[in-house]
Amino acid sequence: MFTAFLIKYAEIGVKGKNKHLFEEALAQQVKYALKRCEGEFKVTRTEGRIYVHALSDFDYDEAVDNLKTVFGVSSICPVIHVEDEGFEKLSQTVVEYLEKVYEDKHISFKIQARRARKNYPMNSMEINRELGGAVLAAFPEMKVDVHHPDVMLHVEIREKIYIYSIEIPGPGGMPVGSNGKAMLLLSGGIDSPVAGYMIAKRGVKIDAVYFHAPPYTSDRAKQKVVDLAKLVSRYAGPVYLHIINFTDIQLYIYEKCPHEELTIIMRRYMMKIAEMIARDNDCLGLITGESIGQVASQTVQSLAVTNEVCTLPVFRPLIGFDKMEIVDVSEKIGTYETSILPYEDCCTIFVAKHPVTKPNLNVIKRHEQNLEEKIDELVQKALDADELVIAKWE
Amino acid sequence: MEVYLDNSATTRCFNEVAALMTQIMCEDYGNPSSLHRKGVQAEKYVRYAKDVIARNLKVNEKEIFFTSGGTESDNLALRGCAYANCRSGRHLITTQIEHPAILRTMKHLEEEGFRVTYLPVDEKGCIRLEDLERAITGETILVSIMHTNNEVGSLQPVAQAGALIKRMNPKILFHVDAVQGYGKFRIYPKKMKIDLLSVSGHKIHGPKGVGFLYVDEKTKIMPIMFGGGQQNGIRSGTENVPGIAGMAKAIETIYSNLDEEVDELYRIKKAFVEGVRKIDDVVINGHPDETGAPHVVSVSVKGVRSEVLLHALEDKGIYVSAGSACSAHKPQPSATLRAMGISQELLGSTIRFSFSIFTTMEEINYTLQVMYDIIPMLRKYTRR
C-alpha cells in the first residue's frame, strides 16, 4: 500500500552553509542502496527532507532493509501520497489508512497536520480537529491523546498530500562520502570489520588493506577477507581492498629479530605499508580494530610502539570496547559468522608463546636495525605486487 | 605444471563420460517415468547403467539402487536397515576409521536407541577379526566395514569378515562402504557375503552427485526418503539420468582395463614411497606397499604443519589433502589417524597423496623434487 518513503536525518540538519553537501551525499547513498532493490525509485530532495518515490511495484521489506543500511538516515517513514481531491476524500483516505495499518483499534492517536501549501482552505488546527472527528466516528474504540499518543498520524499538505505514522529507525551517523577517506587494516578477525563500519558511519569512505602470507595462510583465508569487505561495503559503499603478500617480510623478521618481538615488529611494518598505500590513494587516516589490552600487541605500550611509525592519524574506534561489545556489533551488522570461520591469519602463524607485552621503543628500533640490509627492498616488492579487489555488496 | 594428487577427494571426469552426459542433458532429457517415447529413451540409459553395474558386481539388476552419492548410499544402508530390522535387535557394529557418512549416521542411530560398537584398528589401520568376532552378540543386526580407508588407504578384510559374520549368524546384515575401493578392486558381493555395498560416481572419474547402493534382494530395508515411488519405492525421486549413465560409462571404462591400471598405480605408489623415504624424519602411515590401496599414500612430515605444506605444494601447482584438518583455532584431528595411534606431534603434520590413472611418473618425480626443495625451507621457519 505504501508508495513512497520519507527519509529523515538528524545530525546533518544542524550543519551550516555546507549542509547541502551532506544532503547531496545522503541522496547519493540512498540511490546506491536502492539500486540493489527490485523496482524503480526516484529520490528527491525538498525542503530539508528526502523523499523516495516508487515508480513501479517494489518489495517493501527489501527496500526498508536496504534503506536501513544508509548512514545519515535517522528514520524511514513509509508514506502514502494522494492527490488533493477535497477534504471529504482526505478524511476517507485517512480512515482507510488506519483501517489497514492498525489491526487492533484500541489505541490512542493524534493527528499532526502540516500545511506547507498555504492556499489550502483549512489551517492545520482545523485539519487536526476535523480529521480527528472523522477517525473517532469511524473507530469509536480509538481515543485521542495529544500528549503521548500510540499513533502520531502525520498529514502533510503539499502539492500532493502525504500520510504517514510509522517511523523505522535508521542507522544514524553521516552519509558516506561526506567526510573523506581512510585506509582500514582488515584482518580476518571480528574487530576490524566492526572498526571499518564505525568509521564509515561517521561519513568516511573506506579503502582496506589485507596482509596474507602464503603458504602459511590459504586462499580461503583471503576469500574470507574479501567476503568481509563485501559485508562492510553494504554500509560503506564499494571498498577498494589491497591485498599485500607479507610472507617474505614476515620470514625475514622471523630470521633476524628476537622471536618474542616478531608480532610487534610485524605490526609496525604493516602500519608502515598501510600508510604508504593510504597516501597513494588519497586516504587521510588509518583505521584499526585495536582495543586496549585485548592481546599482547594491543597493550598501551604496544600501541604506542606501533603508532610511532605513522604520521597519518590512526582511528581506533574500538579502543574502549570490551570483546563482547564488539561481538554484539559484529552480529548486528552481519560480519560475525564470517569472522569466526577458522582460517589462520598471518598474525598467528609464528606467534611466540610469550610475546612482549611492554615493548620498549628503543629496544625495538635497535633490533629493527638487523633488518636494514633487505627490508626496504622486500617492502617495495610487496607494494609492487599489490593485488586490488573491489568489494561490492550486490 | 599442474599435478592433481587429491584423487581420493574427487577425480577428473572421463571425456567420454562428460560427452555422454551432455548428450543426455541436451537431447535425451526425458523423464524415465514418462509414458511417451522420450521417457522410454531416458529409461534405456538407466537400464544400461543397471546392466553395466549388475554385470560388474555379478548381481541382479534389481538389486541396484541409484542415489545421490556415497553419503546417501551409506545413510540408506544404515538407517534403512536399522529401522527395518530393529525388532530383531538394536546392536550395530562398525569401525573407528569409517567415513563421517557412516560415523555420524551411527551417532544419530545411537541417539535413536541403537547400541553401536566401534571396532579399533591396529597401527596400520586395519581391524582385527578377533575383535569383530567378540563384538557380535545375539542382538547384532548389522555390521558396516569400509573396504578401503580414505585417509591412509588401509584395506579391511571384508571377505573374511563377511564369512565370519554369516558363520556366526546368517541373519546379520553386512554393509561395505566401497567408495574408495570400487574401481580399484573387483568386488563380488555374493562371494564376499556382502548384503549392501555403497559406491560413489565421482571417485571413479564419473560425475558428482550420483552413486549407487547394492542391496541383496533378501535384505529387509525401508526407504529414508518418500515421494513418487521410483526405484521400487526404496529411493523416490526422478532418476538422475545423466549422472547414472555417466557413472556407468566410467565403470565400463575403468573395468575394461583394470589390472593394467592397478599395476600402474602400484608402480607409481612404489616410486613415490621410495622417493619420500629419502626425506629425513618422515613417516608413511598405513601400508606403503601392495598390501595397501594402490592410490593412497599418507605421509607425516615431522616439523611441518600439514596446512602449510599443502599450501606450499599448491603454490607449485601440486594439489593434495591435509591428512588431518587442523587450524590454530579449531583442531579437528582425524579419527582414522588417532585410532591408528599416530603421535600428537605427527597428527597435525600429515598429508595425503592420492593418485589416479591420469597420474604420470613425470608428475611424481616433479612432486618429489618440489618436496625435497621446500620441506627443508619450511622446517627452518616453525613456531618456536
Side-chain angles (χ1 to χ4, degrees):
Chain A
M1 67 178 278
F2 295 105
T3 48
F5 294 99
L6 166 63
I7 307 290
K8 292 187 174 173
Y9 42 86
E11 216 167 315
I12 308 171
V14 301
K15 297 288 171 205
K17 276 191 179 160
N18 54 4
K19 185 171 157 185
H20 69 282
L21 293 175
F22 289 87
E23 288 175 338
E24 186 49 40
L26 180 58
Q28 281 307 323
Q29 293 301 317
V30 167
K31 279 182 197 165
Y32 175 74
L34 289 169
K35 249 192 227 161
R36 311 189 280 249
C37 302
E38 189 191 324
E40 267 186 78
F41 301 91
K42 194 174 154 213
V43 179
T44 47
R45 286 197 288 137
T46 44
E47 304 155 61
R49 41 188 56 190
I50 289 178
Y51 277 103
V52 174
H53 286 272
L55 303 177
S56 65
D57 283 349
F58 69 104
D59 181 335
Y60 173 82
D61 294 325
E62 180 187 51
V64 169
D65 276 350
N66 280 287
L67 288 171
K68 275 157 98 176
T69 66
V70 179
F71 291 133
V73 172
S74 73
S75 59
I76 303 148
C77 307
V79 170
I80 61 168
H81 64 291
V82 291
E83 299 293 337
D84 178 11
E85 294 170 303
F87 189 77
E88 194 68 6
K89 176 77 179 158
L90 177 60
S91 313
Q92 208 180 321
T93 309
V94 165
V95 168
E96 276 166 19
Y97 174 95
L98 289 169
E99 172 70 44
K100 276 187 202 153
V101 175
Y102 299 97
E103 228 167 83
D104 182 4
K105 301 291 182 309
H106 292 87
I107 44 176
S108 61
F109 74 101
K110 176 186 177 182
I111 307 281
Q112 179 82 354
R114 206 172 128 186
R115 190 179 54 142
R117 178 154 62 81
K118 297 296 178 198
N119 66 359
Y120 196 77
M122 298 160 79
N123 70 29
S124 301
M125 293 303 286
E126 290 165 346
I127 298 170
N128 286 346
R129 200 170 53 235
E130 292 300 319
L131 283 179
V135 169
L136 285 174
F139 310 112
E141 60 272 49
M142 287 183 72
K143 269 205 248 42
V144 175
D145 182 343
V146 292
H147 299 296
H148 303 289
D150 297 329
V151 173
M152 176 79 90
L153 185 84
H154 298 264
V155 177
E156 297 195 0
I157 315 267
R158 297 167 184 272
E159 274 315 301
K160 291 181 178 178
I161 299 172
Y162 295 81
I163 300 167
Y164 66 94
S165 62
I166 300 170
E167 274 199 37
I168 302 158
M174 303 220 261
V176 169
S178 64
N179 239 329
K181 187 162 77 164
M183 177 67 69
L184 168 67
L185 282 88
L186 188 61
S187 71
I190 295 169
D191 305 344
S192 49
V194 173
Y197 167 89
M198 292 185 68
I199 296 299
K201 190 176 173 194
R202 298 308 300 164
V204 180
K205 199 168 157 23
I206 304 283
D207 278 358
V209 55
Y210 165 62
F211 296 93
H212 76 144
Y216 300 96
T217 63
S218 71
D219 278 357
R220 284 205 173 83
K222 185 164 116 183
Q223 185 57 47
K224 170 181 166 181
V225 172
V226 172
D227 292 345
L228 285 171
K230 274 188 193 162
L231 292 168
V232 171
S233 77
R234 180 166 192 207
Y235 302 91
V239 172
Y240 284 62
L241 171 65
H242 300 262
I243 299 172
I244 298 289
N245 186 329
F246 200 63
T247 311
D248 289 343
I249 297 170
Q250 187 167 4
L251 293 182
Y252 190 54
I253 298 170
Y254 179 87
E255 223 172 284
K256 299 283 183 187
C257 299
H259 189 45
E260 57 281 2
E261 289 170 11
L262 171 71
T263 307
I264 191 83
I265 295 175
M266 265 172 53
R267 294 288 302 172
R268 280 166 60 88
Y269 276 95
M270 286 180 181
M271 294 291 261
K272 261 186 213 176
I273 292 171
E275 187 174 77
M276 291 180 197
I277 305 170
R279 287 190 191 283
D280 281 349
N281 290 279
D282 307 319
C283 292
L284 304 173
L286 300 177
I287 307 165
T288 75
E290 289 158 316
S291 138
I292 291 174
Q294 195 182 92
V295 288
S297 63
Q298 296 178 23
T299 62
V300 170
Q301 293 88 340
S302 294
L303 289 171
V305 168
T306 318
N307 200 71
E308 193 262 348
V309 300
C310 302
T311 51
L312 286 180
V314 181
F315 306 129
R316 299 180 175 89
L318 308 180
I319 200 71
F321 275 45
D322 293 348
K323 193 74 188 184
M324 276 323 294
E325 294 171 309
I326 303 172
V327 166
D328 286 348
V329 182
S330 79
E331 282 178 336
K332 192 185 88 191
I333 66 175
T335 54
Y336 182 73
E337 266 178 42
T338 305
S339 284
I340 59 169
L341 291 174
Y343 306 123
E344 186 133 59
D345 72 55
C346 67
C347 288
T348 56
I349 44 184
F350 293 126
V351 70
K353 278 204 184 74
H354 301 290
V356 283
T357 52
K358 297 188 182 72
N360 175 297
L361 184 58
N362 293 325
V363 175
I364 297 284
K365 278 185 157 173
R366 198 161 62 237
H367 289 150
E368 279 181 350
Q369 283 168 9
N370 299 347
L371 302 170
E372 262 172 3
E373 192 192 333
K374 271 166 73 184
I375 194 73
D376 290 342
E377 181 194 327
L378 291 176
V379 166
Q380 194 51 48
K381 227 176 94 191
L383 285 169
D384 291 343
D386 178 359
E387 178 191 345
L388 181 65
V389 174
I390 301 171
K392 255 189 195 164
W393 180 266
E394 276 153 342
Chain B
M1 192 169 187
E2 187 173 282
V3 183
Y4 184 77
L5 298 181
D6 200 10
N7 289 282
S8 282
T10 194
T11 57
R12 186 194 130 177
C13 203
F14 286 134
N15 291 342
E16 59 267 38
V17 169
L20 174 65
M21 291 175 68
T22 307
Q23 148 100 18
I24 296 172
M25 285 188 280
C26 301
E27 285 166 40
D28 306 335
Y29 48 78
N31 184 330
S33 298
S34 294
L35 295 177
H36 49 66
R37 199 180 308 141
K38 208 79 180 156
V40 175
Q41 193 183 30
E43 196 192 0
K44 270 190 191 149
Y45 285 107
V46 177
R47 288 169 61 164
Y48 146 77
K50 282 196 181 181
D51 178 62
V52 167
I53 295 166
R55 279 170 198 276
N56 181 265
L57 300 177
K58 298 188 179 172
V59 300
N60 197 313
E61 282 179 25
K62 65 179 184 201
E63 295 173 309
I64 304 300
F65 297 88
F66 295 108
T67 66
S68 62
T71 295
E72 191 194 330
S73 293
D74 286 345
N75 268 268
L76 176 57
L78 300 189
R79 288 162 60 203
C81 290
Y83 300 146
N85 296 280
C86 62
R87 277 197 218 144
S88 313
R90 300 180 78 86
H91 179 229
L92 313 166
I93 298 173
T94 188
T95 77
Q96 292 177 358
I97 60 164
E98 297 295 314
H99 188 273
I102 298 288
L103 291 178
R104 298 260 166 87
T105 307
M106 287 292 192
K107 287 271 171 266
H108 174 75
L109 288 167
E110 279 184 285
E111 283 165 19
E112 303 214 318
F114 289 89
R115 194 166 66 78
V116 181
T117 303
Y118 300 90
L119 300 175
V121 292
D122 61 21
E123 75 287 351
K124 296 283 188 189
C126 290
I127 59 153
R128 285 167 290 243
L129 291 166
E130 311 91 87
D131 291 330
L132 172 60
E133 189 170 354
R134 265 198 301 269
I136 293 173
T137 70
E139 279 279 290
T140 308
I141 53 170
L142 180 137
V143 177
S144 177
I145 297 173
M146 69 190 341
H147 182 285
T148 301
N149 178 265
N150 51 314
E151 288 186 48
V152 298
S154 57
L155 304 179
Q156 304 306 315
V158 284
Q160 294 96 310
L164 170 70
I165 293 162
K166 297 295 173 179
R167 197 179 68 234
M168 293 184 70
N169 178 0
K171 278 193 184 152
I172 298 175
L173 296 173
F174 184 31
H175 168 248
V176 171
D177 174 353
V179 166
Q180 291 290 338
Y182 190 72
K184 308 291 185 297
F185 297 92
R186 289 178 208 284
I187 300 174
Y188 300 122
K190 306 280 181 199
K191 286 186 191 159
M192 299 161 97
K193 314 281 185 213
I194 296 169
D195 300 298
L196 303 113
L197 185 86
S198 299
V199 169
S200 161
H202 73 105
K203 310 280 192 193
I204 51 170
H205 307 284
K208 292 170 182 59
V210 68
F212 70 80
L213 179 68
Y214 154 79
V215 184
D216 184 281
E217 59 181 330
K218 294 185 292 295
T219 302
K220 238 169 88 185
I221 188 166
M222 58 178 272
I224 56 172
M225 294 199 315
F226 301 90
Q230 291 88 341
Q231 304 201 57
N232 238 345
I234 295 299
R235 207 289 193 171
S236 282
T238 296
E239 291 88 342
N240 170 5
V241 183
I244 288 166
M247 171 169 64
K249 188 82 189 163
I251 292 169
E252 264 189 323
T253 310
I254 286 211
Y255 276 91
S256 67
N257 199 19
L258 185 73
D259 297 336
E260 269 176 47
E261 286 162 8
V262 170
D263 285 350
E264 176 62 16
L265 283 174
Y266 274 126
R267 213 164 67 82
I268 281 170
K269 178 176 173 181
K270 187 164 173 243
F272 184 71
V273 166
E274 276 170 12
V276 166
R277 284 196 166 133
K278 294 193 182 128
I279 304 167
D280 292 335
D281 288 323
V282 297
V283 177
I284 294 174
N285 305 300
H287 300 88
D289 50 23
E290 300 205 0
T291 55
H295 65 301
V296 182
V297 177
S298 166
V299 181
S300 299
V301 181
K302 215 169 158 184
V304 183
R305 285 196 315 116
S306 40
E307 231 181 277
V308 174
L309 180 53
L310 181 151
H311 292 309
L313 289 169
E314 174 188 12
D315 192 44
K316 304 286 180 194
I318 302 165
Y319 303 113
V320 302
S321 254
S324 117
C326 271
S327 79
H329 310 286
K330 236 190 202 169
Q332 297 166 308
S334 119
T336 300
L337 294 172
R338 264 197 318 196
M340 288 167 62
I342 307 285
S343 74
Q344 194 64 38
E345 185 193 2
L346 293 182
L347 266 183
S349 299
T350 304
I351 289 281
R352 180 188 68 189
F353 299 84
S354 47
F355 317 122
S356 82
I357 58 173
F358 290 113
T359 309
T360 65
M361 213 46 113
E362 191 198 349
E363 291 175 344
I364 293 300
N365 291 333
Y366 169 74
T367 304
L368 287 167
Q369 195 52 54
V370 167
M371 288 173 75
Y372 298 154
D373 293 343
I374 62 175
I375 288 174
M377 196 272 285
L378 294 174
R379 277 179 170 155
K380 199 168 130 200
Y381 302 103
T382 49
R383 218 179 289 232
R384 282 183 276 212

